[in-house]
Amino acid sequence: WSSAFSSDGRIPAKWLLSFGQPLHARGVHDRSFLYLLHNISATMRQRAVVMVGTQALTNGILNPINSVNLQEDFDVDNGRYQTPFKDYMSVSSEFGNLDGFVYDEWMDDWDRGARGPFFVAAKTVEAMQENCPNGGRFDHDIHGCSRAVCSDGRIYPEFFGLVGSSSRFLQHCIHPRFSKGLFDGPESKMTETIDMRCEYMAPALPCMTVAVGLMALVLAIQVLSMVRRWCCKEGIAPRSQPQCENAQSQQDAEARSGCVEIRPREGELCGGHRLELFSTRFRSDDEAAWWLSTHVSSQTAILERQVQVEQKATRALKTRKQLRPPVITKSRCSPSPAGGSESDSDDDAPSDLACAMHVVHRRALEGFAAWCDYIAGADLTFVCPHKLDVRCLRSFARSVEENTTRPTSLLFAEALLLRTMESMGEQVISCPERLSFLLFHILQGASGDEESGAVTFSIDMDKLHDGLLQMHKHTNPYMREKMPNGKWELGLNFDDINESGLQCRDQVAKTYKEPASVLVLIDLILCYRVPFMIKMYSFAIAGYIYLGSQRGDDITTSHNGSLWAPKWLRINFIQYIALVDAATWMALEALLVIYVSWQRWPSLGFRSPGIPGLKWFLEHLFNLCFSALGGFWVYSEQQFSRKPWACAHSDIGDPSLRQCVDERTHNLWGVLRYALVYWACRAMVLALMNLKQAPIFVFGTPLREARAESGRGCWARMGLDIHVYLAWMAMLGACICIEVYMLLPSMKGLDWTTTCGMDLLGGIAGLPQEQGVCTQSSQMLTFKCVTCLSTVLAGWVLVFLGALVDVYFIFYLAASMIGGVMGHRRGLNDLKNPTKPVDLREGSGREALIFERTFGPGWQQIWKVMVKGLCQESLISPNQAAGLVHAAGISMGSEPHRGQAQKPINLTRFPRLAAERLAFFFQSLKWVENNKETGSAFDTATDALTGDGFDVGSIPSLTQIIPAYNEVVIPAVDFLKAGSDPEDAKNGSPDDQPGLGDLTLPPQGDGVNTNLAFMISQFPDEWCFLAKRLHAEGLIETGESQGLYHSFMKDRLNQESINEIRLWACLRMQSVAKTVIGALQYGRALASLPKIREHYAQYPNKRIPEDHVEVILAHQTYGHSEGSEENDEASRLLLEMHADDALYLVFDLKQGSSVELWCMVESFFASRGGYTPGAFEQASVKCQWDKARRGLRVVEVLPRKFPLRLGQGDFKTQGKACNQLNGLRFANGHYVQALDCNMGTFIGEGFKVPYVLRMFMPLDKEDRTAPRCRYLGFREFIFTGREGAVGKCHAAAEWTFGTIYQRFLSGLGVRMHYGHPDLVDGFWARNRGGMSKSSPVVNLSEDIFAGFNVRMREEASPHIDALEFEKGREATFNAASNFFSKISGGSIAVLRSRDNHLLCERIGLVHSLSFYFTSVAFYVSNVLVDISIYLYVVLFIFFALAGIGPGQLSALGSTFAKEWILAMGLVALVPQLVEMVLEYGAIRAIREVFGGFLSATFFFIFQNKNIASSMKEGAATGIARYLFTGRPQANQHQTWKDIYVTYWKSHYKPAFFVISSYFIYRILAAQSSGNGRLPMILVMLSCTSWLITPIFFSPFPRWNLIRQDLHEFNGFITGGAGTVEADIPDVVARGKKGTVRSLYECGLSNEMSFWTESQLFMLLLSILVKAATFFFLLVALPAEILDFLPIFLVALSFSWVVVLGYFIAGQNNVFLVLSFLAWPATALLAHYVIGDRFGHPDIWTRMPEYIISMALFLFVLGIAKDLVLITCRGINSLLSCLSRKGDTGRMHECIRVCFVYFFVHQLQFIEAYIVLLLNLLVATTLAAVDKFLCNAHTWLVLNSEMARTKYGERYMEENSTFFERDCGGSRFGSSCWPCQERGQDGLSSDSECEVGPRQEREVSDVGSLA
């Protein structure tokens, strides 16, 4: 060993005597070293050099308990170095054989543990040769790398040395551990300290000069080239003035007028009243009269029909009373209290028509009455600029509320006046308060004598349309544009128009500023500040409990007193949490006052709900002052105290010193009274300022008595409040438990004081002082201190996010438990369990008895209609249908049943869907007899549909509206045949020309099977039933299913059979026809009732039952160039097939509509007279099928001045909501049901609809003017759950939300209208703003705002489980993702709305929590969880930089040592499991839920990320875009190109970021191997899911399709589309439509959209955040890493030269490839830039620095690009002298150049190829799985029928269905194969399954019961 020190054999070897000084002996003159050296020197024959290690650690000085906390000792103490030297000199002078004294060593070696050259002395050479495996270049390891010395100390060799090393902000620093007197001799007394010395390690100046010079040269050439091109193209020209309409000229134009007399058919309603219309927008008086008469005639017919329906209902209820025991009641149709009593003669009673008119008048004008009451009760000096007559307002309100004494004809005229205004006002129908304001002035100015003569009402159309013209020109609420009135204004929306009416403004104006961009985050905080603060209070309670739980540090959570007798930290906690609360409320209130004042500035001085008035300002200023003064008071009287270390394990400590006696406990009240008084006052202020205010907006029902009678009185609200309070107390208590036992323990041992040594809070926190890396002020900016502080901060932020999110998980669990209990109480046990037998034996069977009680004596015929419906839908076979009918004691034909005895029905022997339908039907019948649910006592004789005393007038009228845009109506034959060719799995051309066009349309199929074959594979039994039925009907020759398929594919079928197959297919996909046919089921159900048929026998010209139900298909693109001819043809076919049903088509006639439609409409007008060509440019047209003409016949036309959708570009009004209004104007029903084009229903549910509609107006309810509810929600069965794994996952989520979750929200009183098929009060829909809202930006999720409207007006929106409609959800992965993106973007739009602000402000304290969860909590929680994933990885990077690994975390007891990040989507499995157990039983629930766990895991992890990304994008851009999903079949191939375009920004980029961060963490952790590494399995699972899930759910991974996708995607990546400057406008347009053709176009369009459309504030904020992040990284990262940055600057300079060549050479891809090569080539020059550091000791050792610095440089490069582009945008905006035309073009050119120069495209290029390789890997793996594991992937993703098809074989080509081959005639009993001969088993010669209109067959023969 000593020979190693001999450089020459002639020189005698010397010993190196190495001594390690024990830790506890530091700085003390310990004689052991002197004695030991003395003894060695005395016996040593060789000469020696002495080396002494003097480590610089502190341990146990202040915290003797926490042995883990070993930190560097910064105390200057020369004694630790001078004493050993003094001892050395003493021994050396005595023996003379010591040749030198060495301190080990001058400066710390951070690499000593793993690679250092020296060893710590040990007893043997072998022991000394063992390198310590721990330690690293970026952090010390003070735990693993140590050696025992003797028996009383340990050596930590990384902390030897006189000088410590660190880095600070790019600088390398040293800090001596001695004072200046160290070298002045052992006796020196000098103690002056030496400052830290820091120096930059500058790169080579020549290299940097060359790099900067090259970049400057390239920049100059590029800029000059662009400027020259701009000047040549545009020149310098003055800015052209925008062309604006002259509003004054329109006002000065001559007003034209027309007059129409009101002439209803009923004579009692006629009174000679007239309506007059005048406007400057008509060409003549005749044209004005024609417009008015057109609308008046249409609305007169609708209103009169509604009056007639109410008249029949009045008669029916009178008849019902006569047949039931008398009940003393008071009716609105009885004489009013002021005019008579109940004992008056019947002669004085009003007629039935008059009673009906009174009801209709009140219901039609109740919104106007409510407006009058609100305005009359307000302080008009604040409401209106010009006072309105209060007496007149109250008089009008009373005239509506007490209308029984007024002339019936006048009531009709007033109601018609409002209806005409709604019709002519077009979109103003969305603004009920504006209509009320205008109506008030019309009524006030009406001419004529009400008592003796007719009254004339004058409508000013220009005032009626005020605001619509402005909206059509400008709806962008973020930007000001010059309007026709010459003013620069923000874009209007319907809420502004409506609020203008509430503020009594004569002219419409902007009343509210929607927050732009990320300002919406302020809205989120302010709107939900109360629920957030309540949650934080529960978190504070958890913290208080945690301080005594002993689950954290001993010093923190032990011996702090009890809950009611606190001491030490708990006393401090009560005080400083009060200070935190005061500061928080000060900030919130100050922000609230400032922000709301800015937001509501246009409305200040007016009064309407939500406008801050003097009282509001005083309240919030009071809270602000109270918080400030209260916080100051608590702070001034605070008594904080530090807890001694001695009290960590004991309440006693040293008794003599009384260390552990908290003196404050002797006068606890005196210490805490200030804080406790503050908390008491805070509770009162919080409660008083958040009292529930009713109404939140304006009352929906004006009269208080009517509200109470309808179940919305004070006692009902009080009972609901109690339930809500109890529920939230339980949920918040559960949150506290989670936080005490899970969240807070994660921070055990991690705080700024203990971990970092920073005593930031002083004695406030109560922890004793500790030394650490941040103790010395000189160390504050060192990377060790910064990373330590950041680690603790990130940990607490993560815990804080967990505290915000845990309540959502608890809410889900509560919804599961409470919703399950509510379902049990509603009798939903085994609701759809087919294992329960159904006994329909007449007079004895349980189901037969309840069937008869519910529907009356005709129940058997109703049962037959239901069975025929199942058979007609091919859900059961004809034999099964006959058996089901026989079980009820009847036959399928008209002859009586004769045969075997009746037996119970075993539903398990029937197909699953049919069995579940029937099981649900029978279980739900119990609801009808539930008086509490229905609101009235049920009597079979009078209330059952076939009861002896039943009157058809008691059935409420219903209009079903189906808005359609361009969805598939009926699948075309070509579509059903397509799909099997590999070309069908490619992107198609919009022009349907193979190989031509853009090739951006989705594929037509899967490339393996035809679309029809795939549909058959999903429903093989139903295809077999169709074949047998068609054979039985004589339409095909054989009933063999494969033969039917081949005949269809080879065009061997007749047209009727083809239509049957198309209809069979449309009923099994999300089509318009399925929705229409499902909607018609209710009408067919009514048509089968004897009483209905008797009633309509009196009206032979009417279709049965058009007075009770009508279906309106509002097809927006019918006959238009935007639509498709296939859909138009299918729509006509659908209308023709159902010509005998009350089915109407409503379409939008406008420019682009076909000539045929224009001619048809103009012919209609010409036949009615008064029309002059050119009188209108667009119209809403209602038509029906004319059987005689075999074509459409116009019924009504409403001409319009404006298009359905107002606005321009991305700021158009919401399409579906506008289309709903288009149909609503023609609606006749008292109630309305809007259905999306993905719905359907079973005819059995149609029979229950009349009972459900009675919930609005129960039969026992005397006052028929105030319905019990306005919206009525019910169950949805998601039929797409059978369409593969995606369909199942999506259906499970939707079904859970629509059942147990809705039930729970209904119990909390905050259920909103979340979509269709909810039922709605039709009068409410007309006079309260429609069925949804359609303003751009804020109303993307249009349906929920209808629920907001109901809640704000104090109305009800309950949910029942007695009715169920079918609904479809997206079954392909990309479509499902688009759906989640749409609703997520809509949730951000919700936050921008004033409705949300108003509800949050006035809904009440605890109800605010409920409202948070019913509105945006799901989406916000997803974002928080997504943020926590990033934060989790960043946290462990900080841990690695701070030298804290999982081992140390585990030793500290922190739960961060384990993974605990959860995916939110998986929590949804809990309510799903509970509901399935309730409805289906435990066995099936477990099988379904856990059987799909794998696919659900990947699906929901991916979609949760999708939701979070969409919310972030919506918040950043401020644009809420509607994403059309297309609702394709589950087998549609997902091309790799489509997948990339859809997810590159939302999933792939975040995944690469997280994976890169994780890779950096692994690199850093590898440098400190002793600390260990956390695998982060869940995080990496999430990233993996983000990358591979789309491919995993893509069907049929076949080798040929993989090659095809690989070729297409590679062409997409390398394609040159969009690279030319002339393509820029096209690139922008394609980016918005999602039809990009290349990777370059994809990335460039996104950059252009962001930099030209984003708000300037958003761009500046983004740059500031990035710059702050960069500054933080410079401080947090070691200088050893940052030294590598100049290398990449040199690489960038060379890359810029190549990119310049790329642009000069006309976008030559060779130069683009060379720009990549410049980066790795620069590695060869790195030695010349930073010297030997790059490759010493070798390049692989320095790879961590290279990788981390490269990631940082790319981040810096992005910031540089942002700075360049923000400068370009600023300069571009300031160049006002140039033409406006060039503004966007110049900016686009700047973006295009930066897109390549700053390596944006190149990075996307690399990422795209990584995605390509991942896709290839996953797809080939799945292909191998399918090839060698029996199509296992196909079985998982699609279905077993496809999986069992031989690999490479097409389904149905070679064999029949596996269903047929398996059952062999035995499955589902013998009924699998229906009878082969007609007439067998009671079947007549006609098909007894036929329920449709074909061949004019009757629906049923229920009339034979008569």
Side-chain angles (χ1 to χ4, degrees), residues 973 976-977 1012 1044-1051 1053 1061:
V973 173
L976 295 176
K977 291 181 178 180
L1012 179 60
L1044 177 62
Y1045 173 77
H1046 283 298
S1047 297
F1048 176 81
M1049 297 300 298
K1050 297 176 182 178
D1051 298 324
L1053 297 176
I1061 292 176

Side-chain angles (χ1 to χ4, degrees), residues 303 306 309-310 313 355-369 400-401 403 415 418-419 422 700 702 956-957 1229-1232 1253 1256-1257 1261 1263-1270 1320-1328:
L303 184 61
Q306 291 179 333
V309 169
E310 184 62 30
C355 278
M357 191 63 245
H358 298 158
V359 171
V360 171
H361 179 265
R362 282 194 59 191
R363 295 188 66 182
L365 273 77
E366 66 175 353
F368 172 68
V400 175
E401 297 161 359
N403 60 5
L418 178 59
R419 289 293 178 82
E422 292 168 351
S957 61
H1230 282 211
Y1231 303 98
V1232 176
L1253 288 174
F1256 287 98
M1257 201 76 71
K1261 194 175 188 298
D1263 184 2
R1264 293 182 54 80
T1265 61
R1268 294 178 65 202
C1269 58
R1270 302 296 184 170
V1320 60
D1321 176 15
F1323 291 93
W1324 173 273
R1326 273 183 172 269
N1327 62 46
R1328 290 304 198 283

Side-chain angles (χ1 to χ4, degrees), residues 1066-1067 1069-1079 1233-1241 1276 1279 1315-1318 1365-1369 1527:
C1066 82
L1067 291 175
M1069 63 183 295
Q1070 301 181 68
S1071 64
V1072 177
K1074 177 180 178 65
T1075 309
V1076 171
I1077 294 172
Q1233 182 184 32
L1235 300 168
D1236 287 338
C1237 293
N1238 60 344
M1239 295 180 177
T1241 191
E1276 298 169 355
F1279 67 87
H1316 311 300
D1318 284 6
F1365 272 36
E1366 291 184 347
K1367 188 172 185 177
R1369 273 292 170 234
R1527 298 171 184 150

